[in-house]
Amino acid sequence: MKSITKLSLTVIVLGAGVALGSIFDITAQGAGVTGQAGTADDPVVTKSYVDQQIQKALGGGTTPTTPTNPTTPTDNGNNNSGNNNSSSSSDQVTIVTVKPGEKLIAAAGAEFIVRNGHAVIYSADSNGVADLTDGKDVTNGQAVGNNHLMSFPRAGRGIMVQDGVKSSLTVMVRGGYSIQ
């Protein structure tokens, strides 16, 4: 083969390669993501904007929403740790210490979380207390797991320190209670 033929063939092959490479590069660039989040092509919107657009689409119009200022809860003196025969009825969480021999009796609808100590359920009748963490009913004399949310549907039920234990209980209480 003559060198001129080799040179011509090489130029043709290289030219075809560059042409095909250019064509495939254009289609590869078009296959990528066209916009990034937060740009004009793909805007980031808030939930309130989406809700307003849904209301418009459903024909409900828009209802202007005004933000409310957060309020700080005030302490109304319901911390009853260590007081016998005391009671509280509040939706705030109160930390209560129950000493051995004492009973922490819940008002209807109260919730307790035993944070520290060995507690058992106290109930004057055969009904128990709902352990919302485990999803089971805990009856009189059964142990209460630490950090379990206990719901007291009726008044007169409560918790006390397990027999033989000399340390106190630390309990988070929401709702009414009394110490006996």
Side-chain angles (χ1 to χ4, degrees), residues 78-161:
N78 286 336
N79 188 355
N80 294 315
S81 60
N83 297 335
N84 286 337
N85 297 326
S86 60
S87 67
S88 169
S89 63
S90 170
D91 284 338
Q92 294 180 348
V93 175
T94 305
I95 306 299
V96 178
T97 302
V98 181
K99 297 175 183 156
E102 294 180 339
K103 295 175 189 167
L104 180 61
I105 305 298
E111 297 175 339
F112 292 174
I113 299 176
V114 178
R115 296 288 292 152
N116 190 13
H118 299 282
V120 293
I121 293 296
Y122 166 78
S123 179
D125 54 16
S126 62
N127 294 321
V129 175
D131 183 346
L132 301 179
T133 304
D134 277 345
K136 64 180 184 178
D137 197 44
V138 183
T139 57
N140 189 31
Q142 288 185 326
V144 176
N146 285 359
N147 300 316
H148 283 229
L149 178 60
M150 309 301 291
S151 176
F152 294 83
R154 293 190 178 144
R157 302 171 191 167
I159 60 173
M160 60 185 184
V161 178

Side-chain angles (χ1 to χ4, degrees), residues 39-64:
T39 63
D41 294 333
D42 186 16
V44 177
V45 296
T46 62
K47 181 183 179 304
S48 61
Y49 174 79
V50 172
D51 290 342
Q52 288 174 354
Q53 295 304 315
I54 291 172
Q55 288 298 321
K56 282 182 185 178
L58 295 176
T62 60
T63 56

